[in-house]
Amino acid sequence: MINLESRVRVRFAPSPTGTLHLGSARTALFNFLFARHAGGEFVLRIDDTDAGRSHEGHEQAILADLRWLGLDWDEGPDVGGSCAPYRQSERLGGYRAAADELLAGGLAYHCFCPVERLAELRAAALAEGRLPRYDGRCLGLAPYQVQRRLAGGEPAALRFRIPPGDIVIDDLIRGPVVVGADAVGDFIIVRSDGVAGYNFATVVDDRDMGITHVIRGDDHLTNTARQVLLFRALGAPVPGFAHHSMVLGADGGKLSKRHAATAVGDYRELGYLPQAVVNYLALLSWSHGDDEVLGMHRLVADFAVERLSRSPVVFDQAKLDWLDHEHIMALAPEVHERLFAARLPAGTPPPATAALAAAFQSSLVAYGQAAALAAAVLEPPAPPADLTAALAAAAPQLTWFRALRAEAPDWLPPTAARDLLAVYRVWGKEQGIGARDLLMPLRIALTGAEHGPELPFVLAALARDTTLRRLDLTLAGVLAGEPTTTHGDTP
Ligand code: GLU
């Protein structure tokens, strides 16, 4: 147990039962920003008391996703810390001791009700439109009856005895939130198999880890009511609570795979930048006016938990795409080129990679597009039949450009390619051929399409031989009066 006075300590407590969802990443981000803004500590704790659903592989994946987002933690299962261990499955002794404390103080009691009875109570309450809650039957057992049944080996859970009255949560985002007395019944803190329930384990750990603030989704409000009572029962300071709103899909339902990719790992694979995902998750929750493209330093500096939105926010893929694009544009060209190159097939010639990376830095939405964009230049389809007429009329200029390119070096950097095109245009002008009639056939001959990256980049991405071969194929098709065959060649 630690006593850190007023030093800010927050935690993110994922259950390793699946991959890291965008909504959970947003919760982690708020805790991280809150800690960093205050110069406090960010603790990572693994909520793995549900042994059946928890998985070591998921834990590793969640840690990797958090690291990828840049949300580094000060204490956690991998880095240790003064409150180790950081997996709930390794902290069972603390829960037992706290349960004994509550039992001894008469604040908890044994419950022998079988699951069938509890299910009936629940069904009856729901049928009558009431919130299901335990009816307190085992509270009426005399101590000697409890002892006899325990001695007889009868399984028993431990229930927390809820004090009467409404529960008021002093929420840092919402102000006072009242949870009505009838919303919470005597709940199980330790199951009959000895495993501590979520609310109980969480409170014991938050107490023992000196957690000063708990920031999480508003789906936890009723849990918080239970937890406030547990903190009080254990004589522990109640942390500050902040419940942020949930992320919804466009149809108003909780954000799910129906709406968009929801796992952080999906966005990594799609080639989004972590700083863009972080920026987006932050903007999703508090408004920054027109100043929207923000790095982690700004987010840390500007973060204020009170400013988080109280109402649900709607996931907007277009906005995320726009932010990713903005962050890509802000990258140093060599960083961008490295990320772009990582998505291209092995063996792509470095000059082609450099030219294509430069060509797309101003228009790329996510790096996952890189391979297809590059393939459209490096392995283009044959021009569609309806473009061959334009090519037929352009045989003289294509022939001339072929001669020009044949004399230039094997690879042309984009600036040299620009110069070559300038020479081509001067020649065209002398011949009375307009820029469009010079450049469009050339583009179609080289890429099989009317649109694509700027021509200097196309020329820089293709080795001389490739360029000449594509021009030859086009000219052969044109001269034979047939559509050209597929380019199907390599740069
Ligand atoms: N494991 C819980 C969850 O993922 C933690 C909630 C909390 O922050 O207490 O929802």
Side-chain angles (χ1 to χ4, degrees):
M1 202 173 308
I2 58 169
N3 177 10
L4 287 155
E5 303 289 330
S6 61
R7 189 144 167 75
V8 160
R9 279 175 66 82
V10 292
R11 85 300 193 279
F12 176 57
S15 305
T17 54
T19 51
L20 185 66
H21 186 279
L22 274 186
S24 305
R26 182 164 157 264
T27 301
L29 173 65
F30 295 156
N31 281 282
F32 172 86
L33 294 176
F34 186 80
R36 294 289 172 262
H37 182 89
E41 274 110 31
F42 178 49
V43 176
L44 179 65
R45 187 174 72 216
I46 302 297
D47 272 12
D48 60 350
T49 48
D50 186 347
R53 294 177 59 225
S54 297
H55 201 284
E56 161 72 19
H58 289 317
E59 179 185 315
Q60 291 311 322
I62 290 171
L63 265 61
D65 285 344
L66 289 170
R67 250 184 237 114
W68 179 72
L69 290 170
L71 308 182
D72 53 308
W73 46 96
D74 305 296
E75 299 169 29
D78 55 337
V79 293
S82 57
C83 296
Y86 291 91
R87 283 187 199 93
Q88 290 196 321
S89 59
E90 296 165 10
R91 302 178 62 84
L92 304 179
Y95 312 142
R96 256 192 307 273
D100 288 345
E101 203 182 311
L102 292 183
L103 209 49
L107 298 168
Y109 58 94
H110 287 97
C111 173
F112 298 93
C113 293
V115 283
E116 297 77 19
R117 172 163 197 276
L118 299 175
E120 277 165 26
L121 281 180
R122 194 181 156 73
L126 291 176
E128 290 166 26
R130 287 183 287 113
L131 286 171
R133 43 181 295 175
Y134 182 60
D135 63 356
R137 176 193 270 191
C138 289
L139 189 56
L141 294 173
Y144 78 90
Q145 291 174 304
V146 173
Q147 287 318 318
R148 203 174 50 209
R149 291 174 76 165
L150 287 176
E154 202 174 325
L158 276 189
R159 275 188 194 276
F160 180 57
R161 206 170 157 173
I162 294 284
D166 293 345
I167 304 146
V168 182
I169 300 165
D170 239 333
D171 193 282
L172 293 167
I173 301 171
R174 289 152 204 276
V177 177
V178 180
V179 177
D182 58 350
V184 179
D186 290 357
F187 60 92
I188 290 179
I189 54 174
V190 181
R191 296 195 322 226
S192 57
D193 60 5
V195 175
Y198 156 72
N199 283 298
F200 189 55
T202 293
V203 167
V204 174
D205 285 343
D206 285 347
R207 175 195 70 174
D208 293 350
M209 292 185 172
I211 298 302
T212 57
H213 297 81
V214 173
I215 304 170
R216 61 187 170 207
D218 59 13
D219 53 335
H220 277 289
L221 267 168
T222 317
N223 282 331
T224 300
R226 297 185 178 102
Q227 293 178 19
V228 166
L229 297 177
L230 283 171
F231 277 110
R232 289 190 195 139
L234 289 167
V238 180
F241 283 102
H243 294 89
H244 60 74
S245 58
M246 308 300 282
V247 185
L248 307 181
D251 61 1
K254 202 170 160 185
L255 181 68
S256 74
K257 288 189 183 132
R258 267 181 314 122
H259 306 109
T262 51
V264 169
D266 292 340
Y267 286 93
R268 184 176 49 204
E269 268 163 40
L270 289 166
Y272 285 77
L273 291 171
Q275 58 269 45
V277 175
V278 160
N279 189 169
Y280 177 68
L281 291 176
L283 281 194
L284 195 49
S285 319
W286 87 86
S287 152
H288 260 261
D290 290 339
D291 191 10
E292 296 197 301
V293 184
L294 306 164
M296 193 65 101
H297 283 101
R298 268 296 296 286
L299 294 177
V300 168
D302 291 358
F303 186 77
V305 74
E306 320 78 63
R307 284 174 63 193
L308 295 183
S309 156
R310 293 173 198 197
S311 33
V313 294
V314 177
F315 182 75
D316 179 353
Q317 182 76 51
K319 183 80 179 267
L320 171 57
D321 287 352
W322 173 75
L323 274 173
D324 202 52
H325 166 71
E326 292 289 320
H327 280 275
I328 289 173
M329 292 218 291
L331 290 178
E334 57 279 11
V335 175
H336 162 72
E337 187 181 323
R338 190 167 43 73
L339 295 171
F340 196 92
R343 297 276 171 164
L344 300 189
T348 305
T353 302
L356 291 168
F360 290 111
Q361 184 162 11
S362 58
S363 61
L364 196 68
V365 168
Y367 285 95
Q369 302 173 316
L373 290 170
V377 175
L378 301 181
E379 314 215 16
D386 60 334
L387 296 181
T388 50
L391 291 176
Q397 53 266 45
L398 293 179
T399 306
W400 204 79
F401 184 82
R402 190 197 183 288
L404 209 54
R405 181 66 186 94
E407 279 172 29
D410 208 10
W411 291 99
L412 295 174
T415 45
R418 216 175 282 281
D419 292 345
L420 194 79
L421 286 167
V423 174
Y424 177 50
R425 289 177 70 156
V426 169
W427 173 86
K429 203 164 181 186
E430 286 164 11
Q431 307 298 313
I433 307 174
R436 192 184 152 78
D437 290 336
L438 288 171
L439 302 178
M440 187 53 82
L442 183 57
R443 170 183 291 288
I444 297 170
L446 295 180
T447 66
E450 288 176 289
H451 305 287
E454 289 175 38
L455 261 184
F457 292 120
V458 172
L459 287 172
L462 301 176
R464 181 179 52 202
D465 284 357
T466 309
T467 306
L468 298 185
R469 196 163 50 241
R470 289 186 189 177
L471 290 169
D472 288 344
L473 273 170
T474 304
L475 287 165
V478 168
L479 296 179
E482 294 161 3
T484 50
T485 51
T486 177
H487 282 310
D489 51 12
T490 49

